[in-house]
């Protein structure tokens, strides 16, 4: 009997501990419109909010194109989270940024083709990304926020350079140091020694932010992301709760279906929301550098606070299962057309 009582006590203690766990506070910085894995990552974030795993404080776009924030706002509204604030980079990235493709990106196309519900009424009034970041961080407890960064470093370099304002007497770097716990970032290619899209498209910003970020940075790089694939069957089978759902529309426009898409950005969301245990291991600590050709390098140094995630076959399978399970759910309080 004593053994049974002890077992029950441990069980109840575990349950209450889980229930008492605070949601992870996340700010999401995305280049929505470049690759469709951003849409999967955003879907996951809403599902984590629904289950109480995270508190999504805000979403930043590192793209200046209006279609990016219109797409995000439509997703916010459809998923029943219309009050999540959105910011946009109001300056272009460095001269490397390419916007010459005659084909619209999927975000522009998707919102142009379908009359989605929106919450934002004045697109010109959307906050500058770094300014929204300052406002959000100023309200939070010290060391309590995780920044999930899956696009360019544009907003963050402007944040580093920002001065005291109406939200905080601290400069940008000091505010990041005080309020952030860590940055989980999809960027770099440490193992193939090739330039990577998020680095190359705002090279100058990446060089600076990787060097000057005052908190730990955990990288999920291009090699990891392309080793775990989002199965195309999920795109066909899910998302039927909303007519012309933006995710399948985006996938069909982005490339000819069927195709499986690497889970670059969703891995960053997964590791930030749930931690990496069971999904990945961490490298030794080291420094991340970017050369003149936008090739990233990782140099082991125990005094640094940069690491990258590594996965084995079992962990890859676990990642895919979890991403599929999350994205196949319906939102808790989806938009009601009535």
């Amino acid at each position: 009997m004593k053994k049974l009582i002890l077992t029950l006590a441990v069980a109840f203690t575990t349950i209450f501990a889980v229930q008492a766990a605070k949601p992870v506070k996340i700010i999401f910085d995305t280049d929505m419109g470049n690759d469709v894995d951003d849409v999967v990552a955003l879907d996951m974030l809403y599902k984590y909010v629904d289950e109480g795993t995270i508190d999504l404080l805000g979403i930043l776009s590192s793209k200046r194109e209006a279609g990016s924030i219109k797409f995000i706002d439509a997703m916010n509204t459809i998923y029943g989270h219309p009050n999540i604030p959105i910011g946009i980079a109001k300056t272009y990235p460095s001269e490397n940024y390419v916007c010459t493709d005659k084909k619209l990106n999927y975000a522009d196309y998707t919102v142009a083709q379908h009359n989605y519900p929106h919450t934002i009424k004045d697109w010109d009034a959307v906050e500058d990304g770094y300014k929204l970041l300052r406002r959000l961080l100023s309200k939070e407890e010290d060391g309590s926020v995780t920044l999930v960064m899956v696009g360019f470093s544009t907003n963050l370099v402007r944040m580093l350079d920002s001065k005291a304002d109406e939200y905080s007497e601290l400069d940008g770097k000091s505010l990041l140091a005080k309020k952030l716990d860590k940055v989980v970032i999809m960027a770099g290619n440490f193992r193939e020694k090739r330039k990577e899209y998020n680095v190359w498209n705002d090279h100058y910003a990446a060089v600076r932010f990787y060097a000057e970020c005052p908190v730990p940075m955990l990288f999920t790089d291009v090699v990891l992301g392309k080793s775990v694939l989002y199965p195309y069957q999920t795109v066909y089978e899910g998302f039927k709760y909303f007519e012309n759902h933006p995710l399948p529309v985006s996938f069909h426009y982005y490339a000819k279906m069927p195709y499986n898409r690497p889970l670059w950005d969703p891995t960053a969301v997964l590791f930030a929301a749930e931690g990496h245990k069971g999904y990945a291991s961490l490298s030794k600590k080291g420094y991340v550098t970017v050369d003149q050709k936008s090739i990233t390098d990782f140099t082991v140094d125990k005094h640094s606070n940069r690491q990258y995630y590594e996965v084995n076959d079992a962990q890859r399978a676990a990642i895919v299962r979890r991403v599929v399970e999350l994205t196949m759910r319906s939102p808790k309080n989806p938009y009601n057309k009535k």
Side-chain angles (χ1 to χ4, degrees), residues 23 29 37 51 55 88 130 132 172 191 208 213 219 263 270:
D29 192 328
D37 63 321
E51 69 181 22
D55 182 3
I88 186 171
Y130 85 94
L132 174 59
R191 286 160 276 199
R208 281 200 55 200
C213 177
F219 287 77
L263 290 171
L270 178 65

Side-chain angles (χ1 to χ4, degrees), residues 72-110:
I72 295 168
D73 182 60
M75 291 279 283
N76 277 358
T77 308
I78 290 167
Y79 281 80
H81 299 288
N83 296 321
I84 296 173
I86 301 171
I88 186 171
K90 292 192 174 182
T91 58
Y92 279 115
S94 65
E95 66 278 3
N96 285 337
Y97 183 53
V98 178
C99 289
T100 57
D101 194 338
K102 294 181 180 179
K103 182 180 178 180
L104 289 173
N105 69 55
Y106 69 80
D108 289 317
Y109 171 84
T110 301

Side-chain angles (χ1 to χ4, degrees), residues 11-25 51-54 141:
F12 281 120
T13 300
T14 302
I15 291 171
F16 289 135
V18 171
Q19 291 177 339
K22 291 183 178 180
V24 180
K25 295 180 180 181
E51 69 181 22
T53 301
I54 72 166
E141 298 176 359

Side-chain angles (χ1 to χ4, degrees), residues 9-282:
V10 172
F12 281 120
T13 300
T14 302
I15 291 171
F16 289 135
V18 171
Q19 291 177 339
K22 291 183 178 180
V24 180
K25 295 180 180 181
I26 286 178
I27 297 174
F28 185 55
D29 192 328
T30 171
D31 59 335
M32 188 70 69
N34 287 332
D35 196 306
V36 288
D37 63 321
D38 292 73
V39 191
V40 179
L42 187 54
D43 176 282
M44 292 170 62
L45 287 166
Y46 296 131
K47 307 300 175 54
Y48 280 129
V49 173
D50 286 346
E51 69 181 22
T53 301
I54 72 166
D55 182 3
L56 185 54
L57 302 179
I59 302 170
L60 313 180
S61 173
S62 56
K63 289 173 63 67
R64 190 180 175 188
E65 289 84 354
S68 183
I69 56 171
K70 289 180 179 179
F71 187 98
I72 295 168
D73 182 60
M75 291 279 283
N76 277 358
T77 308
I78 290 167
Y79 281 80
H81 299 288
N83 296 321
I84 296 173
I86 301 171
I88 186 171
K90 292 192 174 182
T91 58
Y92 279 115
S94 65
E95 66 278 3
N96 285 337
Y97 183 53
V98 178
C99 289
T100 57
D101 194 338
K102 294 181 180 179
K103 182 180 178 180
L104 289 173
N105 69 55
Y106 69 80
D108 289 317
Y109 171 84
T110 301
V111 296
Q113 292 297 310
H114 299 286
N115 187 27
Y116 292 121
H118 286 283
T119 301
I120 295 174
K121 305 304 180 184
D122 183 357
W123 301 111
D124 292 332
V126 173
E127 286 181 88
D128 206 334
Y130 85 94
K131 198 71 172 177
L132 174 59
L133 185 57
R134 289 190 61 88
R135 178 165 70 85
L136 294 174
L137 289 179
S138 68
K139 299 176 181 179
E140 300 303 325
E141 298 176 359
D142 294 354
S144 66
V145 179
T146 296
L147 176 66
V148 179
M149 187 175 161
V150 300
F152 316 143
S153 301
T154 311
N155 287 312
L156 274 299
V157 162
R158 296 197 69 199
M159 178 66 179
L160 287 174
D161 291 337
S162 66
K163 306 302 181 183
D165 61 5
E166 66 271 31
Y167 301 125
S168 174
E169 62 184 11
L170 298 176
D171 62 44
K173 187 172 183 178
S174 298
L175 189 57
L176 290 174
K178 185 174 184 180
K179 300 296 183 177
L180 288 184
D181 172 49
K182 61 181 176 293
V183 176
V184 179
I185 178 171
M186 191 279 118
N189 187 340
F190 305 124
R191 286 160 276 199
E192 294 179 338
K193 303 300 181 183
R194 298 176 184 175
K195 65 182 181 181
E196 184 270 321
Y197 190 81
N198 288 345
V199 176
W200 174 69
N201 268 286
D202 200 345
H203 171 94
Y204 168 75
V207 170
R208 281 200 55 200
F209 187 62
Y210 300 173
E212 298 178 34
C213 177
V215 299
M217 297 183 72
L218 305 177
F219 287 77
T220 173
D221 76 344
V222 69
V223 172
L224 189 157
K226 70 182 181 181
S227 74
V228 284
L229 301 177
Y230 191 61
Y232 70 85
Q233 294 90 339
T234 309
V235 180
Y236 287 132
E237 296 169 6
F239 315 102
K240 296 179 181 179
Y241 51 84
F242 192 88
E243 185 178 2
N244 294 316
H245 190 289
L247 190 146
V249 171
S250 299
F251 266 75
H252 280 82
Y253 180 72
Y254 184 79
K256 185 177 180 180
M257 289 287 283
Y259 61 93
N260 300 326
R261 195 66 192 154
L263 290 171
W264 289 300
D265 299 347
T267 58
V269 168
L270 178 65
F271 300 151
E274 299 188 37
H276 66 279
K277 291 184 178 179
Y279 299 118
S281 58
L282 282 172

